[in-house]
Amino acid sequence: MEIDRYFEQIVDPTIADFEANPTSVRHTFLAAVAVFHAIDYLGAGNHRKKFRETDPDFALVDRIAHAFKHVHTGHPADPNLQPLSAEDVISRPPAVWDRAVWDLSSWDDATGGITLDGDRQLDVLSRIQRAAEFIRLQIKADRPTGS
């Protein structure tokens, strides 16, 4: 199936690149775009709206991918598509001597990561991973039995 190939060749390696570079905003944006565009392989229908309403991890991926594309995105009236600017996606330095940043680094975090300036406790990598898994589960649920 085409979507399996997309996950194998695009989504999984792009997430792996992000895992290998957990404080890279560039890798964050690329992973969000790759995961978001998996819905293009699901055929007709408005998966974007349905998935945003169903899964908060997908909603975050949607916001990040579109902030990357449009610099600013969101709609204040839609609780699943709150405004986000590309500059709000920030690197969180590890909590180690000479690299930690007060009120940004997370205690006992030797790796660092990516977060949102307005929600500094959020770990974007884990949310992107969960959104990808959510889409995989939707694919599996939509497949005819025996496929």
Side-chain angles (χ1 to χ4, degrees):
M1 192 170 208
E2 223 175 315
I3 192 159
D4 295 325
R5 184 172 176 227
Y6 180 74
F7 265 89
E8 180 183 316
Q9 294 182 355
I10 305 297
V11 175
D12 294 338
T14 305
I15 290 175
D17 288 345
F18 182 19
E19 290 168 342
N21 299 280
T23 60
S24 169
V25 172
R26 178 175 68 87
H27 285 91
T28 304
F29 283 129
L30 295 174
V33 168
V35 171
F36 174 79
H37 279 289
I39 65 173
D40 295 342
Y41 288 82
L42 293 176
N46 189 355
H47 296 291
R48 180 182 184 198
K49 185 175 184 326
K50 180 176 95 175
F51 287 1
R52 257 195 344 246
E53 292 171 352
T54 306
D55 186 65
D57 298 318
F58 180 83
L60 178 66
V61 164
D62 184 337
R63 290 174 63 214
I64 292 171
H66 285 87
F68 172 57
K69 180 178 179 186
H70 301 289
V71 183
H72 301 283
T73 190
H75 192 281
D78 184 343
N80 297 309
L81 198 54
Q82 290 298 305
L84 183 69
S85 173
E87 67 184 17
D88 294 332
V89 179
I90 60 173
S91 180
R92 185 185 67 240
V96 297
W97 178 254
D98 205 30
R99 295 202 45 217
V101 174
W102 181 260
D103 202 30
L104 180 56
S105 298
S106 295
W107 187 256
D108 286 336
D109 177 9
T111 307
I114 296 293
T115 193
L116 301 182
D117 195 24
D119 186 359
R120 292 181 172 193
Q121 298 306 308
L122 184 129
D123 178 59
V124 173
L125 174 57
S126 65
R127 302 285 298 271
I128 287 175
Q129 292 166 326
R130 291 195 313 247
E133 186 57 30
F134 168 78
I135 294 170
R136 283 187 212 285
L137 292 173
Q138 299 309 304
I139 295 163
K140 193 178 284 188
D142 288 350
R143 281 202 174 133
T145 48
S147 292

